[in-house]
Amino acid sequence: MYEAEVKDLSPEEAKKLHDQGVAFIDVREVEEYAQARIPGAGLVPLSEFMARYGEIPKDRPVVLYCRTGNRSWQAAAWLTAQGYGNVYNLEGGIVHWYRAGLPVDTSPVEVGYTATPYQEVGPHEAEKLLQEALVVDVREPWEYADGHVPGAVNIPLSSLPQRLKDLPKDRPILLVCNSGNRSGVAADFLVGQGFPGERVYNLEGGTYAWMGASLPIER
């Protein structure tokens, strides 16, 4: 995980920079960006970030954002590690920006935030679920052994269809992987198998975001 210190901005602080013409970069995927974006923001998806980060100006400030601030935190940490000096992360992402009454550009904003049938949570929201939820790490055993969310059980994504009987439908399930991608697939699969979407949670940003938030891991 990156050790670089990332500068977080509230929506109001970010709006001041936006009004000054500071560049905003959206690190979500294309389909998310198409549904709702901060006006004037460019797009460099996190999935393409290491190949394309050179498109981002190094000689002036830049604000990165995603849906909730986790993917953009990873991107901001990467840029800082590459020597970028004026990189900011929009804390809470476009969700907090929108909830603060700040402008978004595009088609129905609600569509972008309700597209998943399960619940997306950041690391601190996930931490609050630990006492009640069953935490399922869908990575491979060697990844799990390298460090996982405390109390998590390891059910690799490839084994999940055969292990459904081991999962409860009457309590929350928090799904985890490295970045939130495999666990998002798992969350979508569980909802499709009849698990209630309001009780299925995906840790956005995965263990990278969890450790980035200085939360403990088990080995």
Side-chain angles (χ1 to χ4, degrees), residues 122-142:
H124 293 295
E125 294 171 289
E127 183 185 28
K128 295 175 183 176
L129 290 169
L130 293 188
Q131 291 185 345
E132 184 183 1
L134 172 66
V135 184
V136 178
D137 191 316
V138 300
R139 298 175 299 166
E140 296 304 307
W142 66 268

Side-chain angles (χ1 to χ4, degrees), residues 93-141:
I94 194 171
V95 170
H96 282 194
W97 174 278
Y98 175 65
R99 289 176 180 169
L102 299 174
V104 293
D105 176 17
T106 194
S107 53
V109 174
E110 294 80 4
V111 173
Y113 303 143
T114 59
T116 58
Y118 51 85
Q119 311 302 309
E120 292 269 19
V121 291
H124 293 295
E125 294 171 289
E127 183 185 28
K128 295 175 183 176
L129 290 169
L130 293 188
Q131 291 185 345
E132 184 183 1
L134 172 66
V135 184
V136 178
D137 191 316
V138 300
R139 298 175 299 166
E140 296 304 307

Side-chain angles (χ1 to χ4, degrees), residues 26-163:
D26 190 320
V27 304
R28 299 173 300 160
E29 296 305 310
V30 173
E31 59 274 15
E32 297 175 277
Y33 178 83
Q35 290 171 344
R37 72 200 72 88
I38 292 175
L43 175 65
V44 182
L46 187 62
S47 59
E48 304 173 11
F49 206 80
M50 291 186 183
R52 293 182 52 194
Y53 78 92
E55 299 173 21
I56 299 171
K58 196 172 185 178
D59 58 351
R60 55 184 187 271
V62 61
V63 177
L64 305 181
Y65 75 91
C66 62
R67 182 174 180 270
T68 61
N70 295 314
R71 283 174 284 177
S72 53
W73 187 95
Q74 295 177 55
W78 166 258
L79 288 183
T80 303
Q82 306 312 306
Y84 283 69
N86 292 295
V87 181
Y88 300 93
N89 179 46
L90 175 56
E91 192 170 21
I94 194 171
V95 170
H96 282 194
W97 174 278
Y98 175 65
R99 289 176 180 169
L102 299 174
V104 293
D105 176 17
T106 194
S107 53
V109 174
E110 294 80 4
V111 173
Y113 303 143
T114 59
T116 58
Y118 51 85
Q119 311 302 309
E120 292 269 19
V121 291
H124 293 295
E125 294 171 289
E127 183 185 28
K128 295 175 183 176
L129 290 169
L130 293 188
Q131 291 185 345
E132 184 183 1
L134 172 66
V135 184
V136 178
D137 191 316
V138 300
R139 298 175 299 166
E140 296 304 307
W142 66 268
E143 296 175 286
Y144 173 83
D146 196 42
H148 52 268
V149 173
V153 298
N154 185 210
I155 303 179
L157 184 60
S158 59
S159 304
L160 193 60
Q162 293 77 44
R163 298 284 301 276

